[in-house]
Amino acid sequence: YGVEANVSIDKDHIKITSQQATTLESKIKRVDIDIDSFLRAVLRLKGTVDGPGKDFLQFLGDTNLVRKNNSPLDQISLSGDSRLDINFSRSLSKRLILPIEVSGSINFLGNTLDVKKVGIELNDLAGELKFTQEGASGEGLTATVYGQPVMLAMKPAGDGASNLSFNGLFDLGVYLKQRYPRFSPFFTGVTPIRGELYLPSFLKKNNPDKLKLKLDSKLIGVKSELPSPLNKAIDDSLSAVMSFDQNKGDMTWQIADLLSLHFSIKPEQPFELNLIKLGEPGQSQIIDEGLKIEGSWKTIDPLLWLGAYKQYSDLDNQTQKVRKPSIDVRFDSIQSPQWPSKNISISGDY
């Protein structure tokens, strides 16, 4: 930290004006600090800061505006240079309780916003956001996600929270290869997506509200090599929705009314798949350890699915210890000339 400033004191009124200062790796071009009375002890700050986006997030934690642990700061990171213009005021005395007031703007100059656990990175983030204590707003922001272009907009959600919406293209094959390699042999292609990231207020200390992320796509442009009913040609439409909730500590993928995947957050670890549900979504008991497969389909080809499972489990063997699944599934029929069967139930631990 370094400051070159002029300080004036008039009775109990303090005014500080600085044309140059540094904090962390950021340069403060101009800052005005005004404490109008020792008795009232209200700090008013106005300034312009150029520097890495990570400094802004670190400032929130260092000043105890936001908890460093179990808060939005755990789940996102911001890298790259940015410019911050800010007007800020808060009470410095426990005798005078005033709400924090903040307004200003932040210009992204090719930043990267990373939603860490989910593995969604907004790269080359560019544009301007304006913010107040009610939230942030901005239109026409641009970024790339896994090399594909997306457009972004942000609207206040009230009480300091904001909703960041985006739409563009998403390379599902690259995403799976980097984040979930066991699934990558089965899916390739680039598809249009839209999504929304809910950002809780960063100005509330010990804020119980947490991050939420939702993505949805028709998967047009994606080819699925899985057997029926999840086999899909590149031009076919198949609804897919991904939801991440930091409060619940989980992530889910819902593929039409055919399949649900449930992942749980493990401290200091990637998401762990612990439930595969066949058929329509519904209430299921989530197990803490291991993998559970349940639900029902009308029909399957067992040989094709055994081959797909072997390919999945072989990749599982290469990356981590194999977890034996607990299975409770039902099928109206089996597509096999060797085993013509109806109303099949399979259950047990394998």
Side-chain angles (χ1 to χ4, degrees):
Y1 298 86
V3 179
E4 296 179 8
N6 295 319
V7 180
S8 63
I9 301 175
D10 184 4
K11 298 181 180 178
D12 62 348
H13 180 200
I14 297 178
K15 187 173 183 179
I16 303 172
T17 301
S18 174
Q19 299 294 337
Q20 181 178 336
T22 58
T23 176
L24 302 175
E25 298 178 31
S26 297
K27 295 180 179 180
I28 302 175
K29 287 194 171 183
R30 177 181 174 85
V31 63
D32 296 310
I33 300 175
D34 195 322
I35 303 176
D36 57 4
S37 170
F38 285 128
L39 298 177
R40 287 178 55 83
V42 176
L43 168 68
R44 294 182 176 86
L45 181 149
K46 180 179 180 181
T48 298
V49 182
D50 289 335
K54 64 182 178 66
D55 283 4
F56 176 59
L57 299 183
Q58 183 174 340
F59 170 78
L60 294 175
D62 290 347
T63 56
N64 290 322
L65 287 172
V66 175
R67 282 190 304 184
K68 288 187 176 182
N69 299 317
N70 194 26
S71 79
L73 296 185
D74 290 340
Q75 296 299 324
I76 66 171
S77 66
L78 182 65
S79 59
D81 290 334
S82 58
R83 167 170 288 184
L84 174 68
D85 290 295
I86 187 169
N87 288 281
F88 176 81
S89 68
R90 68 173 298 175
S91 172
L92 300 177
S93 172
K94 294 182 179 179
R95 299 178 182 178
L96 183 64
I97 300 176
L98 292 175
I100 293 175
E101 294 185 0
V102 62
S103 64
S105 64
I106 181 169
N107 280 272
F108 298 109
L109 308 172
N111 299 75
T112 294
L113 176 65
D114 183 7
V115 185
K116 298 178 183 177
K117 283 286 186 180
V118 183
I120 300 293
E121 286 188 356
L122 298 175
N123 295 300
D124 308 312
L125 180 59
E128 181 183 33
L129 287 179
K130 296 182 179 180
F131 57 87
T132 69
Q133 60 267 28
E134 291 302 310
S137 61
E139 299 284 344
L141 286 86
T142 60
T144 59
V145 177
Y146 290 103
Q148 302 299 322
V150 294
M151 297 291 297
L152 306 99
M154 185 171 280
K155 294 182 179 179
D159 204 22
S162 305
N163 286 317
L164 176 65
S165 60
F166 52 94
N167 65 83
L169 298 176
F170 187 73
D171 194 325
L172 182 61
V174 172
Y175 171 72
L176 293 176
K177 188 173 182 179
Q178 293 188 16
R179 298 293 300 184
Y180 304 101
R182 286 166 290 167
F183 292 98
S184 65
F186 307 110
F187 300 96
T188 55
V190 177
T191 184
I193 63 161
R194 60 182 181 180
E196 185 169 276
L197 174 64
Y198 173 79
L199 293 164
S201 174
F202 285 84
L203 299 177
K204 285 185 176 181
K205 189 177 180 181
N206 301 328
N207 188 357
D209 214 0
K210 298 292 187 293
L211 289 176
K212 298 181 182 69
L213 175 66
K214 184 176 182 179
L215 301 174
D216 65 81
S217 173
K218 298 298 183 183
L219 296 183
I220 296 173
V222 168
K223 183 179 181 180
S224 168
E225 300 286 358
L226 287 172
S228 178
L230 294 179
N231 187 263
K232 177 189 169 305
I234 196 168
D235 294 326
D236 290 346
S237 175
L238 185 65
S239 174
V241 177
M242 186 275 276
S243 301
F244 164 67
D245 190 319
Q246 187 185 2
N247 261 329
K248 296 179 180 179
D250 65 19
M251 178 177 71
T252 60
W253 278 91
Q254 180 65 45
I255 311 298
D257 290 333
L258 297 174
L259 183 73
S260 302
L261 303 176
H262 182 281
F263 300 79
S264 61
I265 296 178
K266 298 294 183 181
E268 307 301 326
Q269 294 181 13
F271 278 101
E272 183 175 274
L273 177 64
N274 55 14
L275 175 66
I276 300 175
K277 183 175 178 62
L278 312 184
E280 296 184 359
Q283 293 294 326
S284 297
Q285 184 177 358
I286 308 299
I287 57 178
D288 292 332
E289 299 292 337
L291 173 62
K292 185 177 182 181
I293 304 174
E294 66 176 24
S296 64
W297 278 342
K298 290 184 178 181
T299 185
I300 65 164
D301 185 319
L303 293 180
L304 291 180
W305 274 103
L306 284 172
Y309 180 75
K310 184 178 185 303
Q311 187 176 6
Y312 171 89
S313 60
D314 285 348
L315 287 167
D316 205 28
N317 272 320
Q318 297 171 18
T319 56
Q320 61 182 26
K321 184 179 179 180
V322 176
R323 296 172 298 146
K324 303 300 183 182
S326 171
I327 299 177
D328 182 12
V329 295
R330 298 170 302 282
F331 307 102
D332 293 348
S333 65
I334 286 181
Q335 299 173 8
S336 172
Q338 297 95 333
W339 307 325
S341 306
K342 293 184 178 181
N343 300 321
I344 306 301
S345 295
I346 303 173
S347 61
D349 296 324
Y350 295 87

